[in-house]
Amino acid sequence: METARTVPAATVVNLRDLGGIALGRDRRVRQGVLFRSGQLSELVPDHDRAVAALGIRTVVDLRTADERQWAPDRLPDRARLFVADVLGDHPGVAPARLKALLADPDEADRALGGGRAEELFAETYRKMVLSPGAAAAYRAFLETVADPAARPVLFHCTAGKDRTGWAAAVLLMILGASRETVRADFLAVNPAVRAAFAPYVQKFLDGGGDPAVAVAIVEVRPRYLDVALDAMDERWGGLDGYVRTGLRLPEAVLDRLREGLVITG
């Protein structure tokens, strides 16, 4: 099953091209127009040739204001920045504080120990589906991607796994991907995220941090996607209700997404 393909960037974590993902019936996501990643705070535009070659026109930053202040994006040449803050209504939740939690084993144990990590992350996924602020952010993201003049688009959060993961899942489902394909792509980020966060995790463990908590912080799990999909199904009866009533996306935007991002053959 096809998942997004890794782009060998030197200064951007977890950079992947959604192009090539199968949508069924000889249809695939168009290559070279839609990318996902972790934050761009370490990007060196003049020297990272892999990123420069993508010709990114728009960067969509899904992070909170605090995250953007602490680690502002460095944009590819000639790219514009568009902010779509998914967790602005809930800025203190764990996905917005990954490095802070890894830097403080005691705080991580207090917040996430004793099996609480998976519960808190799962609840955050519910918020990403159900909260009005998240809906506004994902609507803005999808409207941006639907604009041919905005593409190629790179969208990201901090690690490129939670907020970015749901953004990719929704977009792929709109384009016609099965839930099995969406799940495979959602989970495929784990090796890259583990590698990117390895130094932080090692320092966390050296400071007495709980290995189970560290794993919970840096991985996505099947349950997280299940919680988001269940919330979508329970509140809106599935994808169509979510995008039309929850996100309030006009049919014209959905048509532009499919026309611009899907290829046959």
Side-chain angles (χ1 to χ4, degrees):
M1 188 175 295
E2 289 281 356
T3 60
R5 294 171 181 169
T6 299
V7 177
T11 59
V12 178
V13 170
N14 196 17
L15 178 58
R16 305 164 73 219
D17 183 352
L18 274 69
I21 292 179
L23 303 171
R25 297 183 181 178
D26 297 323
R27 299 162 69 247
R28 295 181 177 275
V29 179
R30 186 182 301 277
Q31 290 184 299
V33 295
L34 190 61
F35 300 89
R36 56 179 291 181
S37 74
Q39 65 192 36
L40 304 186
S41 58
E42 303 300 318
L43 173 64
V44 183
D46 294 339
H47 299 289
D48 201 327
R49 294 181 179 178
V51 176
L54 304 179
I56 300 297
R57 290 183 180 176
T58 308
V59 171
V60 180
D61 190 342
L62 304 174
R63 299 177 300 164
T64 64
D66 283 347
E67 291 172 286
R68 299 194 305 273
Q69 180 178 355
W70 295 332
D73 276 350
R74 297 177 179 177
L75 298 179
D77 290 341
R78 293 180 294 280
R80 71 181 183 98
L81 178 65
F82 186 88
V83 173
D85 182 350
V86 172
L87 295 176
D89 294 345
H90 310 278
V93 296
R97 301 169 55 229
L98 297 178
K99 290 184 179 178
L101 288 169
L102 286 172
D104 189 340
D106 291 337
E107 168 64 11
D109 185 65
R110 183 196 66 76
L112 302 175
R116 291 189 296 275
E118 186 164 318
E119 296 304 319
L120 288 171
F121 270 84
E123 181 57 30
T124 297
Y125 274 75
R126 283 185 58 83
K127 291 183 172 76
M128 290 195 296
V129 176
L130 300 177
S131 80
Y138 284 124
R139 179 174 64 251
F141 158 69
L142 291 164
E143 288 174 340
T144 300
V145 174
D147 179 2
R151 299 192 294 256
V153 173
L154 169 61
F155 61 103
H156 75 90
C157 51
T158 294
K161 66 185 185 76
D162 298 307
R163 287 161 286 186
T164 299
W166 181 242
V170 173
L171 182 50
L172 288 172
M173 287 188 290
I174 288 172
L175 299 181
S178 68
R179 291 197 178 187
E180 291 75 18
T181 295
V182 168
R183 183 182 306 280
D185 186 67
F186 178 77
L187 295 174
V189 302
N190 276 334
V193 177
R194 287 189 206 107
F197 279 80
Y200 302 97
V201 169
Q202 189 58 55
K203 187 174 181 179
F204 177 83
L205 298 177
D206 292 343
D210 183 347
V213 171
V215 171
I217 290 172
V218 301
E219 288 188 350
V220 293
R221 295 180 173 176
R223 183 186 173 202
Y224 300 160
L225 181 61
D226 289 341
V227 166
L229 292 171
D230 287 347
M232 179 180 75
D233 292 343
E234 291 164 8
R235 177 68 65 87
W236 291 288
L239 178 69
D240 286 348
Y242 175 58
V243 298
R244 289 179 169 82
T245 305
L247 301 184
R248 303 199 309 276
L249 278 176
E251 192 67 34
V253 171
L254 300 174
D255 289 342
R256 286 199 300 273
L257 286 170
R258 294 173 182 130
E259 290 166 3
L261 298 175
V262 178
I263 59 172
T264 56

